[in-house]
Amino acid sequence: MASPAVTPGSAGSTGRSGLRRWLIGEPLPTSAHAEERLSNGEALAILSSDALSSVAYASQEILLVLSLAGAAALSLSVPITGLIVALMLVVAISYRQTIKAYPHGGGSYRVSHDNLGVMPGLVAGASLAIDYVLTVSVSVAAGIAAITSLLPQLAAERIPLCLLAVALLMLVNLRGVRSSARLLSLPTFLFMGLVLTLVVLGLAKLRLGLLPPLDAADQARQLAQVQGGELAVLGPVLLMRAFSSGCAALTGIEAISDSVMVFKPVEWRNARLVLTGMVIVLAVMFSGISVLASQLGLVYVENGPTLLYQLGERIFANGLLLSVLQLSTLLILLLAANTAYADFPRLSAFLAQDGYMPRQLASLGDRLVFSNGIALLSGFATVLLLVFDGSVTRLIPLYAVGVFTSFTLSQAGMVVHWWKEQRAGWLFKALVNGFGSLVTGVVCAVLLYSKFRLGAWVIVVAVPLLVTLLLTIKAHYRQVARRLRLAPEARLHLPEPLREGGSPVVLLVGQLHRGSYEALRYARTIADTLVAVHVDLGDGRAAAFQEQWQRQLPEVELVILPSPYRSLIEPVKEFIQRFESEQRQGGERFCTVVLPVFVTRQRWQNLLHNQSTYFLRQALRREGTRVVTTVGFYL
């Protein structure tokens, strides 16, 4: 029976329901669902937080790798940063074209799926899904590192603080609180302003000779901590590792192309303008931090004071600005993690709508958000933080591989898109995207080679496994569709109705297929009064369903129950209470509620179907309905 995802809380005890409402809030009607349009300034702050926040850890990860080869290698952080900035420009130019070609949003999954086919689309989707999980993990870990740098006494509580941050992010997103865009913009603009001030003031002090480099003895001591007594050879592999670590600065660049429709008209033109501004600001901040760190000879030690904190301490001194810098770093990193809470559930919903993920992920929850996707993302991020000890350095090797895989496939998809259209100027556009795909593909190979043993192998294993899982889910849904299919136009025949001795029967039906048809045939054999009930969840399908029912089963009464809050249980409970009251006729008559249910071949396949029948049956029995029958259909 096709029906909305129903969580235990929605049909649970009064106590559990009360706790759920207190934590998440009252359900919102479907009519309250509206897309918020952003000005360019608001979009820059909200959609760029993931990319801009990466300067909090990208430069320090380059220095951490170079430190393995000694003090002389630290100066190479500047040319490596320059190379990454050049790569940033290539990717940005490529995505400017994607934005114009896909004005309704050109995410890597959709572009790859539409132009390259199913498998490349699934690889892009799987890579993006993993990237979103890592975005939450890395951003939260980096945000907590900013606070523990300012308050070292909290360092021992790093893991609990990370888990608390994930729990808070999950709760805020489950509530679906639509804070004003201006309020959400404040952390980003504050962070941008402070980092740009740090860079300008730091460079000015360097010019005036007011900013001496790190003491040689302190530098040697910190380098010894990083090296662990072994000096690495400064060769191509080490340089590739440093470059790969710094490529984390490119994560989040694709966010604007995914969200073109949140801009005010003309959407694609404003989105391109904001993308250009974001890349310029990102390049200036990233380059400035790397230059200052190189000139001062600073060293970053894993889980020690962050590079941004060290720069703030030397440039701002231990004053108010330093505290505000660290607080703004925490806030923008949490906001960056929050972007994944918007993108991962949406990607999961796309995949679910296409049949590659459990259908429950496509259902809006009580607060008009994809609640199941939010909970899934939080669970995966929590596991990663526990496994990798909440360390940014240990998470980074996993991070950029998925990003560059999706970059490469998306740009390759755009080449095919231009080739298919062949409008004026198509060849130049195809060459631009082709060059972007080539460059990001090479970088992806470098990332895999240099970081494979450090953790990138996890992504190499995880992506194929996830794609296999997606294909398995799709195969199951196809098999289910074949088993359930009925001729859409043919008149369906039912047993003759009982003349006497039957009971009043209500049949709940979500779709008209073989499962619900068999349940209806059973209901007809025991009923003297039979009513079929369909709940309208506000998805626009109720009218078409009613028309199909009248065409194929005109002899059975169909009642459509509106459900403005997308709840299956409440409208059904209210209807059955009225129905039972009407059918008693002053005497004791048992009413029967018939619920179609799927019986899967494998237990794990139950996860691909919502358990609404179970929760509805429990709710009806609590309300006093004494006869609730399930009619199984074996898949």
Side-chain angles (χ1 to χ4, degrees):
M1 177 180 60
S3 49
V6 182
T7 58
S10 60
S13 64
T14 304
R16 281 185 298 172
S17 179
L19 177 62
R20 177 184 174 86
R21 294 288 173 259
W22 183 75
L23 287 173
I24 299 176
E26 293 296 326
L28 294 174
T30 305
S31 58
H33 193 225
E35 192 73 37
E36 187 177 5
R37 294 290 181 132
L38 303 176
S39 68
N40 287 355
E42 292 166 345
L44 175 65
I46 295 171
L47 299 178
S48 303
S49 58
D50 186 7
L52 296 178
S53 66
S54 64
V55 303
Y57 49 81
S59 295
Q60 74 182 26
E61 294 302 321
I62 296 174
L63 286 179
L64 181 63
V65 176
L66 293 176
S67 297
L68 297 172
L74 296 177
S75 60
L76 294 174
S77 63
V78 174
I80 289 173
T81 298
L83 189 60
I84 294 171
V85 168
L87 176 63
M88 199 181 292
L89 296 176
V90 171
V91 172
I93 291 170
S94 297
Y95 269 107
R96 277 176 58 87
Q97 297 200 150
T98 303
I99 287 170
K100 188 172 182 180
Y102 283 82
H104 297 290
S108 296
Y109 166 67
R110 188 57 65 198
V111 173
S112 303
H113 187 275
D114 291 351
N115 297 292
L116 300 179
V118 171
M119 284 303 295
L122 292 181
V123 170
S127 300
L128 269 181
I130 293 170
D131 172 55
Y132 290 141
V133 175
L134 284 164
T135 294
V136 175
S137 304
V138 171
S139 298
V140 165
I144 297 304
I147 291 302
T148 55
S149 296
L150 183 65
L151 303 170
Q153 61 269 28
L154 295 177
E157 308 300 327
R158 185 177 69 254
I159 300 299
L161 288 173
C162 286
L163 300 186
L164 177 62
V166 171
L168 289 174
L169 284 168
M170 180 180 71
L171 185 60
V172 167
N173 282 276
L174 285 175
R175 289 186 65 88
V177 177
R178 289 185 174 270
S179 302
S180 69
R182 291 182 181 179
L183 182 62
L184 290 174
S185 302
L186 288 178
T188 305
F189 285 126
L190 180 62
F191 179 78
M192 285 169 50
L194 284 168
V195 172
L196 290 173
T197 301
L198 179 82
V199 169
V200 172
L201 187 58
L203 292 174
K205 285 189 173 184
L206 272 177
R207 179 88 178 185
L208 297 172
L210 301 176
L211 206 58
L214 182 65
D215 181 73
D218 287 340
Q219 186 187 64
R221 177 179 54 78
Q222 293 179 27
L223 286 172
Q225 283 183 263
V226 175
Q227 295 161 2
E230 294 183 10
L231 190 65
V233 176
L234 183 60
V237 175
L238 191 73
L239 291 174
M240 283 193 291
R241 277 184 57 191
F243 172 78
S244 301
S245 296
C247 282
L250 276 79
T251 57
I253 283 184
E254 79 287 350
I256 291 175
S257 72
D258 291 343
S259 308
V260 178
M261 288 307 295
V262 306
F263 286 84
K264 293 180 178 179
V266 177
E267 291 86 352
W268 67 266
R269 185 174 291 123
N270 287 326
R272 290 177 68 168
L273 186 64
V274 170
L275 176 63
T276 302
M278 178 194 74
V279 170
I280 291 172
V281 174
L282 176 58
V284 170
M285 293 196 302
F286 182 38
S287 302
I289 289 172
S290 293
V291 168
L292 286 172
S294 176
Q295 291 295 312
L296 296 176
L298 298 181
V299 179
Y300 170 67
V301 180
E302 184 181 353
N303 293 329
T306 63
L307 180 62
L308 204 54
Y309 175 80
Q310 294 181 57
L311 287 171
E313 191 176 35
R314 298 176 71 83
I315 296 169
F316 291 153
N318 286 312
L320 178 61
L321 279 180
L322 177 61
S323 299
V324 176
L325 173 65
Q326 294 307 102
L327 180 60
S328 68
T329 303
L330 170 66
L331 292 176
I332 193 176
L333 284 163
L334 292 180
L335 188 57
N338 200 60
T339 61
Y341 274 95
D343 293 334
F344 178 90
R346 185 166 50 200
L347 173 63
S348 299
F350 288 153
L351 287 164
Q353 289 163 8
D354 291 344
Y356 293 106
M357 291 190 81
R359 297 273 168 80
Q360 300 93 307
L361 293 170
S363 299
L364 289 172
D366 286 348
R367 302 288 292 180
L368 294 173
V369 294
F370 296 112
S371 306
N372 293 322
I374 290 169
L376 192 65
L377 174 61
S378 301
F380 286 143
T382 297
V383 170
L384 279 182
L385 287 166
L386 288 171
V387 170
F388 291 92
D389 200 31
S391 169
V392 176
T393 299
R394 298 181 194 180
L395 287 164
I396 284 293
L398 285 70
Y399 196 15
V401 176
V403 177
F404 278 89
T405 300
S406 61
F407 282 172
T408 303
L409 290 171
S410 175
Q411 298 314 306
M414 287 304 302
V415 174
V416 176
H417 172 81
W418 299 126
W419 180 76
K420 287 179 179 177
E421 283 199 344
Q422 294 198 12
R423 294 180 181 177
W426 74 269
L427 183 58
F428 175 75
K429 294 175 181 177
L431 288 173
V432 170
N433 285 121
F435 180 69
S437 180
L438 177 64
V439 171
T440 55
V442 170
V443 172
C444 188
V446 170
L447 290 172
L448 285 172
Y449 177 77
S450 61
K451 295 283 190 180
F452 188 81
R453 288 187 296 179
L454 297 173
W457 66 268
V458 175
I459 306 302
V460 175
V461 173
V463 170
L465 285 177
L466 183 52
V467 169
T468 302
L469 177 61
L470 298 179
L471 290 172
T472 302
I473 292 172
K474 181 70 171 181
H476 171 75
Y477 282 134
R478 280 177 175 163
Q479 188 265 337
V480 169
R482 285 194 298 270
R483 289 279 293 132
L484 295 177
R485 187 175 295 120
L486 286 172
E489 301 297 330
R491 176 79 175 266
L492 299 178
H493 299 287
L494 297 173
E496 288 296 322
L498 292 178
R499 299 296 181 185
E500 58 183 16
S503 62
V505 177
V506 174
L507 169 74
L508 183 66
V509 55
Q511 292 179 343
L512 189 51
H513 48 57
R514 285 185 62 192
S516 55
Y517 176 51
E518 292 299 324
L520 180 58
R521 286 172 56 83
Y522 165 75
R524 184 71 170 243
T525 65
I526 64 171
D528 59 9
T529 302
L530 176 60
V531 178
V533 171
H534 175 83
V535 180
D536 178 9
L537 300 171
D539 53 10
R541 300 177 186 176
F545 178 80
Q546 188 170 29
E547 180 183 342
Q548 181 188 10
W549 187 274
Q550 293 300 324
R551 185 172 62 250
Q552 296 191 274
L553 291 164
E555 66 268 38
V556 178
E557 180 185 359
L558 175 68
V559 176
I560 304 289
L561 302 179
S563 181
Y565 293 92
R566 303 162 310 286
S567 168
L568 174 70
I569 292 176
E570 294 304 322
V572 172
K573 282 197 322 185
E574 292 173 3
F575 174 82
I576 289 175
Q577 286 173 353
R578 293 196 305 270
F579 181 80
E580 288 180 327
S581 177
E582 293 169 359
Q583 294 297 323
R584 286 196 183 101
Q585 300 175 348
E588 186 70 18
R589 294 192 77 198
F590 289 101
C591 295
T592 300
V593 178
V594 176
L595 305 176
V597 63
F598 293 150
V599 181
T600 59
R601 295 182 181 181
Q602 306 291 334
R603 286 189 177 182
W604 69 267
Q605 294 173 341
N606 287 321
L607 298 173
L608 306 182
H609 302 277
N610 63 58
Q611 303 302 310
S612 55
T613 298
Y614 169 78
F615 296 120
L616 181 57
R617 184 174 57 202
Q618 296 298 107
L620 291 175
R621 285 178 175 167
R622 280 194 298 272
E623 294 297 320
T625 300
R626 283 179 282 184
V627 185
V628 180
T629 300
T630 56
V631 179
F633 183 81
Y634 289 81
L635 298 174

